[in-house]
Amino acid sequence: MVWVIADPEAEVIALSPKTLMATNRFLCEICGKGFQRDQNLQLHRRGHNLPWKLKQRSTKEVRKRVYVCPEKTCVHHHPSRALGDLTGIKKHFCRKHGEKKWKCDKCSKQYAVQSDWKAHSKTCGTREYKCDCGTLFSRRDSFITHRAFCDALAEETARVNAASSMHSNINHHLMGNQIGPPMAQHFPPIFKPISSNNVTIDQTRCGLSLWMGQESQFHDSIPKSLQEIHQFGSVISGSIYSDPLVSTSNPPASGYHLNWVLDNKVSPSHAEELTSTSLPLNNVKENGARLVSVPSLFSTQKLHSHQTTSANMSATALLQKAAQIGATSTDTSFLGSLGTKCSISQIQEGNKYSGLYVSNTPPTSFGSDLENSANDISNLNQLQMQPAKRQRLQNEDSSGGQTRDFLGVGVLPICHPSSINGWT
Amino acid sequence: MMSLSPSLGSSYPWLKELKSEERGLYLIHLLLTCANHVATGSLENANIALEQISELASPDGDTMQRIAAYFTEALADRILKTWPGLHKAINSTRVVDLVSEQALVRRLFFEVFPFLKAAFLLVNQAIIEAMEGEKVVHVIDLDAAEPMQWIALIRGLSARPEGPPHLRITGIHVRKEVLDQMGHRLSEEAEKLDIPFQFNPVVGELEDLDVERLHVKTGEAVAISSVLRLHSLLASDDEPLRKKLPLALKNSNGIHLQRALQMSQNTLGELLEKDTVNGYSPSPDSASSSPLSSPVSPKVDTFLTALRGLLPKLVVITEQDSNHNGSTLMERLLESLHSYAALFDCLESTVSRASSERLKLEKMLFGNEIKNIISCEGAERKERHEKLEKWIQRLDSAGFCNVPLSYYGMLQAKTLLQGYNCNGYKMKGENGCVMICWQDRPMFSVSAWRCRNSL
């Protein structure tokens, strides 16, 4: 479509529908063959040995011509929206206001303009993208956007998640309720499949409206998701501060073509690169179409999902536990036993930090060392470096109800509620 | 009173009987204790702790055992530096990592974790969007080691509706072989896709870079990408300060300096008072200290200003999002314990314990980083990771303003993370920047910038 910014000097030409639709109005008197242009007729006349004359381009300045659509209801009927090209206006008229006489034999598409029909036939069925849900796309960009929201993906992910949920549940449990900030939550990125038409049209539409009808599809905490939708809606300008996947995506048009993702030509050669290292997790996902928008270059591998058994806490969980323990135990001065007259013990008494997480019972043969070395146990408190992670310290042994016999000597740790300086 | 009899096979038989969780907790305790002893100069006590840790730690064991192994080695290394001759001697036959080994480890990091891939997606998308309409694009990579990023960009640019631009990529790296390899791969790719392309290698240390060598031409649109590299520039800032301070207090074996202890009192006290890393607290065994809260980093500032002078259309920074640049050992130890715990947990969740690749990553990548953070000081300590907010401050002061990362890029990255079949990888956006997390802990941050007061 040619957009003409209204040129006040331009000559507005309003042709009648008949004229616009007319093809081949230049007829050869000898054989009756029709031509769209006079020039072509003249050249044809040469073949009949008829006198011919090609019009020269006029030397005077030609006023720019713009054409309006004869259809009154059409946007281009008004001179300010006229088109600058005769062929363009002809095609426009046919496409929009004409009868669709040309039908594609492979699919059901119909066209009013023959050239459109030809162009379509060339590509129809040649390149197709198929989503797992069964929908077909001829355009890469609409396919990609569809995939982002396709339900099928949601089911797949759900199945996979269920399989590995044991592991994740353990961690989540151990780490307490740390999953607080909504940002860090695992969001379902998938929503009800949007028909491809909507998607392609929807370049700039506010994501909010697309979403409102889809709440029932969420399988995570709905209130949170709604919050994010609202947040997102107000941030359309582009500064995303919440999880982007909560809301719909309206990727910029230019972004589509980036997707080296599904370019299957790429994968085979790339597979070599990936297999060059003898990784145990070497199943390069050739089928890049598995996932949305992931370049096959970066195609993920089905990693050997090594699940920790319930007996193995993650190191992060251990650190948190240690911090908790450190915060709930009493002071003891140990360094003395190590043979050092150290003023650090004074600090301890200064109650800058709570003591050990081990028993303050007089140590047995090996115990002294253990306790001594646990001097500046404040350090354990320091384990919670990030303010966001500060936990309310509990009176009891907060490690989940089990008091461990840490020393293995039948002595249980004694926990006292402590005044935790600087920690509340 | 403990009788020290290291002559026996195991002085602490009961240690072996600890169950995994208890052992893990005890290891944490021991590490902290040991570090504290090191920081206060109580080497004898540190030695005891090290001995116990050695009984429990193992690079083949569970997560905590592995972490402890690397931390304990780092602490030992630090202690050993008190006797420079000894330190050098014990390392005299150590072979410097081969280029190929380094390349392998890099490749492993790229494959096993989604962090780099997600970051690349974000960076590339930001570049592509910034370069819409540009006919000549010049990308500068401040640490050009991973060709994958640029291969992806080349493909992305070639698919532009307006057609690909003329593309130049300038790669900076300390090793020529790496750049040669990269140039070769990229040129090959560009040729396949019929994109006018040029690769310019710049061999040398980033710290010594003269921006003239980048040959930025008028009329070209410049994008600068830094992936996990900028933090090492913070090391150079330490040097001048160190020289002014008194020499490190030397400890002879077994002597505990009263002064050291007094200093340590302040250290610990301050540690407790503040939970941020801003305090002024000298640690006696290194005698390095840095001035107060606001990050004074002239080297980085100069560098960023020089970059700004190139009038880049876009600067994208990817960095580890942890504070490993605390001025005291304890601060760094505590913080890095958490960060590397997350990384080791991540490996535990995704790769089998028997995997030699996992071992390589833990040892050659993380182990080396830990060693650098814990045992090195001054210009030697390159792994000066800092949190995003500090980088934001620096970039802001250098005359850049934030460009929110592309939503579409985030979508891609998030999908990638999910494709790793592991619940742990998360992503969150904050003020236009993105943090890639393991569980709740941000591990890496990506942020994009443009020159302020320019179109």
Side-chain angles (χ1 to χ4, degrees), chain B residues 285-296:
Chain B
D285 60 328
S286 70
S288 82
S289 81
S290 39
L292 304 179
S293 33
S294 63
V296 174

Side-chain angles (χ1 to χ4, degrees), chain B residues 134-170:
Chain B
E134 295 288 349
K135 300 277 192 306
V136 183
V137 173
H138 183 179
V139 174
I140 301 173
D141 185 349
L142 298 188
D143 190 29
E146 183 52 70
M148 281 305 158
Q149 178 174 13
W150 307 124
I151 290 177
L153 182 71
I154 288 172
R155 290 178 185 173
L157 286 173
S158 83
R160 293 205 303 192
E162 61 203 282
H166 180 110
L167 179 66
R168 280 176 68 207
I169 297 183
T170 297

Side-chain angles (χ1 to χ4, degrees), chain A residues 16 64 73 99 140 158 187 200 238 242 245 267 295 310 317 377 381 408:
Chain A
S16 72
K64 167 113 179 103
T73 59
E99 186 197 328
R140 195 199 257 175
F187 288 103
T200 40
S242 58
L245 278 212
S267 343
S310 49
I377 304 324
N381 295 342

Side-chain angles (χ1 to χ4, degrees), chain A residues 49-331:
Chain A
N49 295 320
L50 284 172
W52 57 278
K53 186 175 188 225
L54 283 173
K55 272 191 237 165
Q56 301 289 359
R57 215 183 128 78
S58 65
T59 47
K60 68 171 166 64
E61 284 289 331
V62 180
R63 251 174 92 199
K64 167 113 179 103
R65 284 177 169 183
V66 296
Y67 304 88
V68 290
C69 181
E71 177 59 46
K72 287 187 192 64
T73 59
C74 183
V75 145
H76 295 289
H77 183 68
H78 196 273
S80 65
R81 299 296 294 277
L83 301 178
D85 175 51
L86 175 61
T87 318
I89 196 75
K90 281 183 177 179
K91 284 197 177 167
H92 156 78
F93 185 72
C94 280
R95 275 193 202 118
K96 289 288 159 62
H97 314 297
E99 186 197 328
K100 293 195 167 125
K101 289 183 251 170
W102 304 92
K103 293 190 186 69
C104 174
D105 40 20
K106 285 185 211 146
C107 67
S108 58
K109 282 196 162 167
Q110 296 184 320
Y111 298 89
V113 179
Q114 188 187 22
S115 53
D116 293 345
W117 171 78
K118 271 196 198 167
H120 167 81
S121 310
K122 276 192 194 168
T123 60
C124 184
T126 53
R127 252 156 79 100
E128 272 175 2
Y129 301 96
K130 188 170 176 195
C131 176
D132 283 344
C133 69
T135 323
L136 283 172
F137 298 87
S138 60
R139 286 183 57 151
R140 195 199 257 175
D141 48 7
S142 34
F143 172 59
I144 287 164
T145 318
H146 164 86
R147 296 233 60 188
F149 305 113
C150 185
D151 235 4
L153 201 51
E155 288 168 37
E156 185 72 45
T157 314
R159 263 188 284 124
V160 168
N161 286 348
S164 58
S165 65
M166 186 184 112
H167 162 70
S168 60
N169 281 344
I170 290 160
N171 278 338
H172 286 190
H173 168 70
L174 291 173
M175 292 191 254
N177 210 8
Q178 295 283 348
I179 327 289
M183 314 275 181
Q185 260 192 0
H186 174 56
F187 288 103
I190 346 273
F191 305 91
K192 197 169 180 144
I194 305 164
S195 73
S196 53
N197 289 336
N198 290 346
V199 168
T200 40
I201 293 167
D202 241 10
Q203 298 294 324
T204 51
R205 200 149 57 108
C206 168
L208 203 54
S209 46
L210 261 185
W211 281 53
M212 294 316 280
Q214 324 251 333
E215 293 143 27
S216 53
Q217 298 296 320
F218 297 5
H219 32 265
D220 238 10
S221 66
I222 292 175
K224 284 245 164 61
S225 312
L226 280 178
Q227 263 175 30
E228 263 95 24
I229 292 175
H230 290 302
Q231 274 183 339
F232 184 76
S234 63
V235 183
I236 289 302
S237 55
S239 73
I240 313 281
Y241 50 77
S242 58
D243 191 299
L245 278 212
V246 175
S247 326
T248 190
S249 117
N250 287 317
S254 66
Y256 290 137
H257 296 277
L258 315 184
N259 288 308
W260 353 287
V261 175
L262 303 159
D263 191 345
N264 293 320
K265 291 179 280 201
V266 165
S267 343
S269 60
H270 182 64
E272 292 151 22
E273 291 145 15
L274 289 181
T275 53
S276 62
T277 65
S278 56
L279 284 171
L281 17 101
N282 223 351
N283 316 336
V284 175
K285 276 201 166 142
E286 286 296 327
N287 182 13
R290 265 261 110 214
L291 297 157
V292 176
S293 312
V294 173
S296 57
L297 266 186
F298 297 160
S299 70
T300 62
Q301 304 144 36
K302 265 223 151 44
L303 293 177
H304 167 80
S305 177
H306 175 86
Q307 295 179 13
T308 54
T309 65
S310 49
N312 284 338
M313 282 173 79
S314 71
T316 311
L318 281 170
L319 284 166
Q320 287 174 343
K321 194 159 186 175
Q324 284 179 334
I325 294 165
T328 57
S329 304
T330 50
D331 306 359

